[in-house]
Amino acid sequence: MKLIVGNWKLNPKTLKEAQKLALALNKAKTKNKVVLCPPYLYLPLIKSKFELGSQDLFWQEQGAYTGQVSGSMLKQFKVKYAIIGHSEKREVGDTDQEINLKLKAAIANKIIPILCVGFGIESGEDDEEVMIRIQNQLELDLKDVDPSKVIVAYEPVWAIGSGKAASAEHAEKTAMFIRMKFHIKKVLYGGSTNPTNAKEFLSKQIDGLLVGGSSIKADDFYKMITL
Ligand code: 13P
């Protein structure tokens, strides 16, 4: 059984479309575990037989933090997972120290964090360079965090939304490195996955996929979760 997570990012534009997307996926019969991560506002309004995840969370529980959403708030809306440290959040300022605090807040609220690594990686870097960057990121992000409670998603930033996925061999090698070196139980791959290439990733020692663009196309995601 693989874990397939749909990161809807800032999509779709309307609640109606979001509900339609979730409804279409409800028909899927799958042996995989599927998680949908819509924007915060849609979370309580999505009817899905699958589990829900948020795309982020804040590390404080309450207080003067304008615009933030806490783990305990998310928990009240049946959120089981939280994507943390996505490249698109690191790009606008999330630091490894903040990501570390967010991981701790998720775990304290019994929300399973899906920690994204791969920011700063350039296409063409060899496996060794990639492993060094990943190792540096994980050492900071996982400081004083129980790794058995964290899922890691390897998303080389150049592969995100580019239509150019990493090779399944490279993704597998990186996943094995992360599992062994950091005692992580599950490592996902993300970056330009689609119904055509998903099968190859899922045939490898990769525990699942973190899907962006293809997760908001009902037909495509349906195919991917029922592989
Ligand atoms: P794409 O699947 O659109 O490349 O996005 C991957 C991603 O960022 C998932 O979190």
Side-chain angles (χ1 to χ4, degrees):
M1 185 179 68
K2 302 280 182 168
L3 173 63
I4 304 183
V5 183
N7 176 8
W8 293 7
K9 307 189 179 182
L10 189 59
N11 298 293
K13 265 192 186 166
T14 66
L15 171 63
K16 230 181 180 158
E17 288 170 275
Q19 287 173 324
K20 203 172 144 196
L21 174 57
L23 207 67
L25 298 170
N26 270 344
K27 297 185 192 113
K29 288 199 172 55
T30 173
K31 56 184 186 331
N32 296 311
K33 193 171 188 68
V34 178
V35 178
L36 305 180
C37 302
Y40 283 138
L41 273 174
Y42 296 159
L43 278 166
L45 302 165
I46 294 288
K47 285 197 176 62
S48 177
K49 67 174 183 180
F50 300 119
E51 286 181 320
L52 292 175
S54 62
Q55 297 174 19
D56 195 14
L57 53 68
F58 192 57
W59 61 85
Q60 294 285 4
E61 285 299 302
Q62 63 170 51
Y65 304 103
T66 303
Q68 304 292 5
V69 175
S70 73
S72 58
M73 288 172 183
L74 291 166
K75 199 71 194 160
Q76 295 169 58
F77 293 98
K78 301 191 169 58
V79 169
K80 295 254 173 67
Y81 295 81
I83 296 170
I84 292 174
H86 192 280
S87 286
E88 287 150 15
K89 292 294 295 180
R90 294 184 191 251
E91 184 73 46
V92 293
D94 267 25
T95 64
D96 289 300
Q97 285 71 25
E98 287 166 338
I99 289 162
N100 174 259
L101 292 173
K102 289 180 177 187
L103 290 175
K104 289 173 180 162
I107 293 168
N109 283 291
K110 299 200 163 47
I111 291 174
I112 302 170
I114 301 171
L115 166 63
C116 300
V117 293
F119 184 63
I121 288 175
E122 286 169 33
S123 76
E125 277 185 323
D126 64 30
D127 287 352
E128 204 171 315
E129 284 169 312
V130 170
M131 307 292 170
I132 291 168
R133 281 188 196 273
I134 299 287
Q135 180 166 346
N136 288 341
Q137 254 167 41
L138 283 172
E139 274 167 5
L140 296 170
D141 296 346
L142 292 172
K143 192 164 185 286
D144 302 322
V145 170
D146 177 355
S148 72
K149 299 209 160 87
V150 178
I151 293 171
V152 170
Y154 171 54
E155 297 203 312
V157 67
W158 54 264
I160 296 177
S162 66
K164 291 189 198 105
S167 74
E169 290 71 28
H170 169 71
E172 181 180 54
K173 203 167 164 185
T174 312
M176 286 165 77
F177 169 76
I178 295 170
R179 274 194 300 262
M180 270 173 48
K181 180 99 190 163
F182 289 92
H183 310 289
I184 295 287
K185 285 186 186 151
K186 278 193 168 77
V187 181
L188 316 179
Y189 167 76
S192 295
T193 55
N194 56 46
T196 311
N197 64 19
K199 202 169 186 163
E200 196 182 357
F201 286 108
L202 296 175
S203 72
K204 301 279 180 202
Q205 291 186 54
I206 296 170
D207 302 293
L209 301 172
L210 180 53
V211 186
S214 299
S215 75
I216 49 163
K217 295 180 196 137
D219 291 350
D220 282 2
F221 200 57
Y222 191 103
K223 283 184 197 144
M224 293 170 84
I225 63 180
T226 50
L227 277 173

